[in-house]
Every structure is written in C-alpha cells, then in structure tokens.
Amino acid sequence: MKFRMTDGRDIIDFIRPLVNLPRSATGNGVRRTLDAVSQRLPIEVREYASGKSVFDWVVPDEWNLRRATLSDSTGNLLADTNDCVLHVMAHSMPFNGTLSLEELMPSLYSNETLPGVIPYRTSYYAKRWGICLSHEAKMKLKEGSCDVSIDADLFAGHLTLGELLIPGKSTDEMVISTHICHPFMANDNLAGLGLAVALFEWLSSRDNRLSYRLILAPGTIGAITWLAHNTEHAKQSIRHGLIATCVGDRGVIHYKHSRSGEATIDRAVKSVLESRKIPHKLLDFSPYGYDERQYNSPGFDLDFGVLSRSPNGGYPQYHTSADDLSILSEAAIDESLAVYKAVIELIDEQTIPQVTPTKATPIGKVYRSTNLMCEPMLGKRGLYKTTGGAVHSPTRELALLWVMNLADGHHGVADIVQRSKLSPAVIDAAVEALVGVGLLE
Ligand code: ZN
C-alpha cells in the first residue's frame, strides 16, 4: 500500500475493492467501507442505535445482506447480487419464495428509458423488498414461476459513520462531507470517498491554520444524525464546508453555491476555477441534491457548497449500474483533487475576506418553519415517496423542500417563488400541505 494517495490512479485503486460491498443507510457494507478508510486514516467510527430520534427523523434498522438472487423455474439465475449488488433494492426485507410472474412484477424495478442498465433503488423506512434488473432482462421474463431469495437481516441494530478531525491553530473548522451509503456506483460516490481520503492524507501532512473535519456518513440520515449529535459545536465552529461527490467522471467541474450564495467558500471556489482557467459551470443553491440540504437547512445555515464534476442527476449513468469504474477518468480525478487542494490553500491562507450576507426584507406572506434543524421527514407524513434512488423528484416534492428551506422568517412566498423558479400555484400548494401537517406556521 502506497504511503499516501496522490493521484487519480491511487484513488481508483483504493475504491476498486469497495465497489460491490452491500452498502446502504446502515450495516456491514458501511462498516467494511469505513474499515478500508481506517487502513489509511485514524478515523473515529461511531454507532447510533436504530430507533433513536434525530431531529424529525429516526435512525433506521440495520440491514445486512448476504446474497439476493432471482431465478427461473429451471434454476437459471436471472439476477444475482454476487455479480452486481444493485440487483437488490437496498434495505430489502428478507424474503424467500416462489412467485408467478404476475405476483413478482410489482417487486421488480427497471429503467425503461435506459433498458440495458440496473437501476439503484432503496427503501430505508417502508418495509418492502425489491429486485432490480435491466429492462431488457425484465422483458425477457417468461410466464411461469420464479424463485426469489433475499438472504438478509433487517433488525434493530446501528447506523455507522466515520469522522476525523485534524486540529489546526484555530478551532474554526472547514468540513469535507461525503456520503458512503451508495452500493456499487463509482462516480456517485466512491470517487468522492477516495478523493476525501486522499485530501485528508494531504491535510495531515500540512501545518494548517484551520481545523479540518472529515465526515463520512450515509446520505441524509447520516448527516442528520451527525448534526443532531454535534448541534452546538457545528453552529459555533464550522465556518466552511464542501460536499465531495461525483468527482471522477469526464464532465466539466460544477460548483453548486451555498444557500447564501456569497459565502467565503463560494468565492474561494470561483476564484480557484477562474484563476486556473478551468472550464466549469456554476449552479445556484437548491434544497435538492446531497447533504448540503442538511448543513444549509435554516436552523444551521452553514456555508456548504458542492464541488463535483457532473452534478447529481446530470449524467446518463447516474444511479444505475452504468456508473461503474469505466466512467471514471484518472485525469478528471487529478484535476478535482488539485482544485480541492487549491481551495483549501486559499481559505487556509485567509486571503478571501468574509462577507456578511445581506438580509433583504421578505416579499409576500412570511411563513415560519416549525422544523428548522435539517429537513423534516416528509415520507412519514405521506408527502414524499418512500422508495429512493429515482433520478428526478416530482415538482411537488421540490416545492415542499424549497418552502421548508426558505421558511426562516427572512423570505416571503414571493421570494420562494423567485428563488425556486417554480410556479406560484405549486408553491401555494406546498405551503398549504405543510401548514396542514403543522410544519409551517
Ligand atoms: Zn446518489
């Protein structure tokens, strides 16, 4: 093992053995992934019991998969997680049975628009099981019975996350956070994990002004769990943050702004991209995407941007088996890593002045969220889908997230319409639904 990872090749070598681990929101797939990180960095691994309340959410059951298969009546394997772990819906209930094709159909997940790939699906809270397969394979299924075996445990266990603090001269912190719950997929998000590990190997060799914290947590629930257990510390010490995700594909670099849009991190990233003449696209903040949603929730309002190559949902292989190692480019990872390092150097030198964002007078009726800390769990209120992994969220769901993110007393309904670029009717309907469940007042 090389002492320190320095380039795209090292990072791809590091993530290759992790591809087919059965990662999900909880369980041994996450633990084994963190074990691999522990070989390189002295991370602290923390466990949080299933059922524990974290703000509006609950830590889900632990899920450990051994193997899932689908086979026809003559025993031919049609799907096998030993080949690709995406063949099972993450967090599927254990199941063993023989079903007719008609009985099986509601539990099969495929992607009609990309018929050759296996889609990524999750169900962390609603108890169900699913087999995911390519649409081509699904269309070839013949009348008759099929055997389904999902050899897994779903039980009250723990959620696992990892973190590392590299203290600097100041207790002010910059955070790099990345999700570690996605099975199989390389760009989203093993590349982000590998880059973050390489970055912290580099940071531990530097003499830093700021303290640097690495948070490796399952998406959404992991970040919420971390924030729920570090609330006061986060508010007092975290000054800047980046979500390291989708950093390895051949698309141009994208930077998604923090909620304020004019934070130090926003200006530092733009300064590096412009001064180095790196082709890039800038995206406004939106409350849909990765864990920037939680860090930028109104109760925290931490300045987190997302520095990626293609953004979430922005490349055809996203959330499918085609997001494999072949879409990664060593040169792209090299460039991503260089940009991350340059941004950190700039912020650490304190050459970017801090600007206090201006708080404008709200336009339109002002609602206040009753749930300012992280996103509310809309699924338990029947306002959000209970399976995850779909590429696009319906406009109705986006509107709910926008209203919750901006119902902080500083934005009126007209401001929300303007920032979300959604129609007034859609925002009004979201407001009504959220008032109805007591999330707005
Ligand atoms: Zn994803």
Side-chain angles (χ1 to χ4, degrees):
M1 188 166 70
K2 204 164 152 186
F3 171 61
R4 192 183 298 156
M5 297 195 282
T6 54
D7 59 18
R9 175 173 300 193
D10 295 339
I11 288 172
I12 292 173
D13 285 344
F14 169 72
I15 65 179
R16 188 175 288 115
L18 308 180
V19 167
N20 214 42
L21 292 179
R23 274 179 296 280
S24 188
T26 59
N28 290 336
V30 170
R31 288 196 191 95
R32 285 161 68 190
T33 303
L34 291 173
D35 285 347
V37 176
S38 297
Q39 303 291 311
R40 311 208 65 107
L41 290 172
I43 55 168
E44 310 244 14
V45 174
R46 307 197 192 286
E47 303 263 352
Y48 300 91
S50 302
K52 191 173 177 41
S53 291
V54 282
F55 296 130
D56 194 42
W57 295 66
V58 170
V59 173
D61 279 347
E62 177 170 335
W63 184 69
N64 291 321
L65 174 77
R66 284 173 291 277
R67 189 182 182 187
T69 56
L70 172 70
S71 40
D72 66 16
S73 54
T74 56
N76 291 321
L77 276 177
L78 306 171
D80 183 352
T81 53
N82 282 355
D83 298 332
C84 176
V85 74
L86 290 177
H87 273 308
V88 70
M89 170 183 269
H91 253 73
S92 278
M93 291 164 63
F95 182 80
N96 213 321
T98 304
L99 300 173
S100 69
L101 190 56
E102 197 186 342
E103 290 168 323
L104 177 64
M105 274 299 171
S107 301
L108 292 184
Y109 296 82
S110 69
N111 182 338
E112 234 172 296
T113 48
L114 289 170
V117 305
I118 307 161
Y120 166 50
R121 288 288 181 276
T122 67
S123 184
Y124 300 141
Y125 291 96
K127 298 268 192 287
R128 57 162 73 87
W129 59 266
I131 296 285
C132 307
L133 71 178
S134 73
H135 201 66
E136 283 165 3
K138 185 175 162 185
M139 290 297 102
K140 281 187 204 147
L141 293 176
K142 295 188 189 74
E143 285 300 329
S145 61
C146 286
D147 290 320
V148 176
S149 164
I150 298 175
D151 182 11
D153 297 320
L154 188 60
F155 62 103
H158 291 85
L159 174 147
T160 315
L161 56 81
E163 64 176 310
L164 173 66
L165 180 73
I166 299 181
K169 294 182 190 76
S170 163
T171 52
D172 287 353
E173 288 180 18
M174 173 161 176
V175 169
I176 302 291
S177 176
T178 191
H179 57 280
I180 53 164
C181 51
H182 284 34
F184 194 82
M185 291 164 289
N187 193 40
D188 180 18
N189 189 36
L190 285 170
L193 172 68
L195 178 137
V197 173
L199 202 58
F200 274 72
E201 289 182 331
W202 171 76
L203 277 167
S204 21
S205 71
R206 283 179 98 243
D207 193 13
N208 302 307
R209 177 180 66 87
L210 291 174
S211 295
Y212 290 87
R213 185 179 297 275
L214 174 64
I215 300 177
L216 303 174
T220 308
I221 186 62
I224 292 171
T225 300
W226 190 86
L227 284 166
H229 287 87
N230 297 275
T231 306
E232 285 317 307
H233 177 83
K235 286 188 189 176
Q236 277 167 23
S237 300
I238 297 177
R239 297 283 173 272
H240 328 277
L242 285 174
I243 305 292
T245 181
C246 299
V247 295
D249 69 295
R250 293 170 173 83
V252 298
I253 286 184
H254 283 68
Y255 178 67
K256 175 177 167 179
H257 289 82
S258 73
R259 183 171 179 264
S260 96
E262 51 192 10
T264 305
I265 187 68
D266 299 322
R267 286 173 299 120
V269 172
K270 286 185 277 191
S271 164
V272 166
L273 294 172
E274 280 158 23
S275 66
R276 294 182 169 220
K277 299 194 169 35
I278 293 172
H280 64 273
K281 286 188 182 148
L282 298 175
L283 304 170
D284 289 336
F285 175 75
S286 82
Y288 189 71
Y290 297 109
D291 288 327
E292 69 280 12
R293 300 150 64 168
Q294 314 310 336
Y295 298 109
N296 281 289
S297 62
F300 285 99
D301 205 13
L302 302 173
D303 294 330
F304 273 63
V306 184
L307 182 51
S308 67
R309 302 202 72 89
S310 294
N312 64 302
Y315 56 103
Q317 303 90 343
Y318 179 77
H319 281 190
T320 75
S321 56
D323 184 348
D324 61 13
L325 292 171
S326 71
I327 74 162
L328 300 185
S329 145
E330 287 177 14
I333 298 176
D334 288 346
E335 185 180 61
S336 301
L337 184 59
V339 170
Y340 268 87
K341 287 180 180 175
V343 169
I344 286 174
E345 280 169 342
L346 195 54
I347 287 187
D348 209 73
E349 280 168 13
Q350 223 170 358
T351 41
I352 299 274
Q354 199 115 15
V355 171
T356 311
T358 44
K359 293 250 188 288
T361 312
I363 316 170
K365 199 166 175 184
V366 179
Y367 289 89
R368 196 174 157 83
S369 163
T370 58
N371 181 96
L372 292 164
M373 314 305 283
C374 299
E375 275 174 15
M377 191 185 183
L378 296 171
K380 71 181 179 188
R381 298 181 175 87
L383 293 176
Y384 211 83
K385 61 187 177 290
T386 56
T387 57
V391 176
H392 297 292
S393 201
T395 307
R396 190 182 60 77
E397 293 182 358
L398 285 180
L400 296 168
L401 296 174
W402 269 111
V403 173
M404 287 307 295
N405 188 266
L406 293 180
D408 57 358
H410 303 293
H411 297 84
V413 170
D415 296 308
I416 301 175
V417 169
Q418 199 186 6
R419 270 194 85 170
S420 66
K421 302 185 182 75
L422 296 171
S423 75
V426 168
I427 294 297
D428 286 344
V431 167
E432 198 181 319
L434 292 167
V435 169
V437 295
L439 282 170
L440 282 188
E441 57 191 20

